[in-house]
């Protein structure tokens, strides 16, 4: 993982998961570029930290998306909750990755 800065994160995304760059840039322009308050920056970096961490591991990314899709399609609320809980645990785990991991 890169340093936890918008610039380092964008560079890593561009190098390793370039398919995310358009969405990253669009989100940056919408949420941050015209802001007079840097308050939203940590939330922005946290979101994209997780997205990049998943995208750089295609198997894990596919697994999380499969869990979320199966939850959305499930008619059993307990099953849907269990699937979403598993996906959420994975998303929380990748948020804890440190630069260099």
């Amino acid at each position: 993982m890169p340093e936890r800065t918008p610039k380092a994160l964008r560079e890593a995304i561009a190098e390793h998961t370039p398919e995310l760059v358009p969405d990253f840039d669009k989100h940056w322009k919408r949420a941050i570029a015209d802001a007079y308050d840097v308050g939203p920056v940590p939330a922005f970096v946290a979101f994209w930290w997780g997205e990049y961490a998943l995208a750089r591991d295609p198997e894990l990314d596919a697994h999380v998306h499969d869990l979320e899709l199966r939850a959305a399609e499930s008619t059993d609320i307990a099953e849907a909750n269990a699937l979403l809980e598993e996906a959420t645990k994975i998303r929380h785990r990748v948020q804890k990755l440190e630069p260099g991991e």
Side-chain angles (χ1 to χ4, degrees):
M1 294 297 289
E3 291 181 37
R4 279 191 192 254
T5 66
K7 181 179 179 181
L9 188 53
R10 189 187 186 288
E11 288 172 356
I13 288 170
E15 182 177 344
H16 301 286
T17 56
E19 67 277 7
L20 295 180
V21 170
D23 288 339
F24 179 95
D25 288 346
K26 241 188 277 183
H27 188 191
W28 177 263
K29 288 176 185 170
R30 185 182 74 244
I32 308 298
D34 294 329
Y36 293 100
D37 176 10
V38 295
V41 173
F44 177 89
V45 170
F47 173 82
W48 282 99
W49 187 264
E51 291 300 300
Y52 171 66
L54 285 176
R56 72 184 190 143
D57 183 341
E59 279 187 36
L60 185 60
D61 191 34
H63 178 63
V64 169
H65 289 291
D66 179 62
L67 291 168
E68 293 168 340
L69 179 62
R70 288 171 40 211
E73 293 173 345
S74 178
T75 57
D76 179 337
I77 192 75
E79 177 188 40
N81 283 337
L83 292 165
L84 288 176
E85 184 176 329
E86 186 178 345
T88 299
K89 284 180 182 178
I90 294 168
R91 287 186 177 277
H92 283 293
R93 189 175 73 235
V94 300
Q95 285 291 338
K96 294 178 182 179
L97 291 172
E98 294 294 330
E101 289 187 277

